[in-house]
Amino acid sequence: MKAVEYTEYGSPDVLRVVDVDRPEPGPDEVLVAVRAVSVNGSDWEGLTGRPAYARLGGLRRPRRRVLGSDVAGTVVAVGADVTTFAPGDDVYADLLDRLGCFAEHVCAPARSFAPLPDGMSFVEASAVPQAGVIALRGIVDRGRVRAGQRVLVNGAGGGAGAYAVQLAVLAGAEVTAVDTAHKADHLRSLGAVRVLDHRVDDWTRTGPYDLVLDLACYRSVGAIARGVAPGGTYLVVGGAVRSLLQVLLLGPLVGLAGRKRLRVLAVPLGVRHVGPLVDLLQAGAVRTVVDRTFPLEQTAEALRRHGSGRSVGKVVVTVDPT
Ligand SMILES: NC(=O)c1ccc[n+]([C@@H]2O[C@H](COP(=O)([O-])OP(=O)(O)OC[C@H]3O[C@@H](n4cnc5c(N)ncnc54)[C@H](OP(=O)(O)O)[C@@H]3O)[C@@H](O)[C@H]2O)c1
């Protein structure tokens, strides 16, 4: 089968389309013919090896040669102990713990997969897992956004940000979205009432906000605290290691005076956590914006598009059924 490999960190130029053996499912695994894989911020980080946490699995060289975690496809074989799926079932999953989805087939434990949600295309379903869990966790479960609150989403134009903006708007919040300037129309169309350009505006001086969900944190914990209202919450999901460590180690102390909760948000893995978002997508209350799709052979172009900052919405790699 075809897979898209890399053996060193770098630009999309290091990716190669290669022929590899098709994996065989173990007793508790299913083999899935991949139909769509969405590109996440974590794929770009895994490709470039930046920020430093992207090298946790391999300091000098990537430990896993094939990227791609958020996948939708069709089961083609199941292991001896699998009773939940059968060949022909359409499924989706978040395989961030093992990757390997930029390929014609992927093998993983059956428990990682869920049936493809009714009415959802492979492309749309592949866009949901990781981005959806981050947004649900940040806005609903931990953020507990309520009507009338001032919410800021930093990095709002990416996969997780687009869902986060919509979930906060649905909850009745007044949403400020921060990203690069050319995504302003897109962010307003998702319901943001105010859009900031991170290259020009300093969100820590435009608030304060009751909740900040930060998907691209490059600030000091002192600056962050300034942007959060007394009694408010700041949750960081990704960004520079230095900033994440500051929030992790100093956040509880720095926030103490203003009763501000400054925390790193740990996000659980797996599509079993995206149920409430899937319901909203199926009801048409939230939408997935897809920027472009690319065939598997052009995975490098897909990552280039994501990393260029030009994409508006999700970039998705597709595989035609053979
Ligand atoms: N904590 C956890 O458990 C966990 C789990 C999974 C993923 N993550 C992390 O979650 C993060 C977000 O994921 P994602 O898939 O939504 O990423 P994404 O699709 O790449 O979106 C990131 C967005 O942030 C924008 N951006 C870049 N630099 C910025 C800055 N300085 N200020 C404001 N916005 C900026 C990007 O704009 P441009 O495209 O113009 O650069 C892009 O629109 C990633 O860092 C990922 O590693 C964390």
Side-chain angles (χ1 to χ4, degrees), residues 90-179:
D90 292 334
V91 293
Y92 77 133
D94 176 356
L95 302 181
L96 185 60
D97 54 341
R98 58 171 53 215
L99 305 179
C101 297
F102 291 131
E104 286 179 319
H105 292 84
V106 67
C107 221
R111 65 174 178 280
S112 301
F113 292 89
L116 196 76
D118 287 343
M120 236 183 238
S121 67
F122 290 114
V123 167
E124 196 185 351
S126 76
V128 174
Q130 205 185 114
V133 183
I134 294 172
L136 276 171
R137 205 67 172 181
I139 299 296
V140 181
D141 302 336
R142 293 284 182 270
R144 300 203 183 116
V145 170
R146 296 186 306 279
Q149 287 192 319
R150 297 155 296 178
V151 172
L152 180 132
V153 180
N154 191 41
Y163 288 139
V165 168
Q166 294 179 83
L167 288 174
V169 170
L170 260 186
E174 181 192 293
V175 179
T176 299
V178 191
D179 210 287

Side-chain angles (χ1 to χ4, degrees), residues 41 45 53 130 154-155 157-160 179-180 183 198 237 265 267 306 309:
E45 293 166 351
Y53 60 71
Q130 205 185 114
N154 191 41
D179 210 287
T180 356
K183 297 178 192 170
H198 74 84
V237 176
L265 181 70
V267 179
H306 178 97

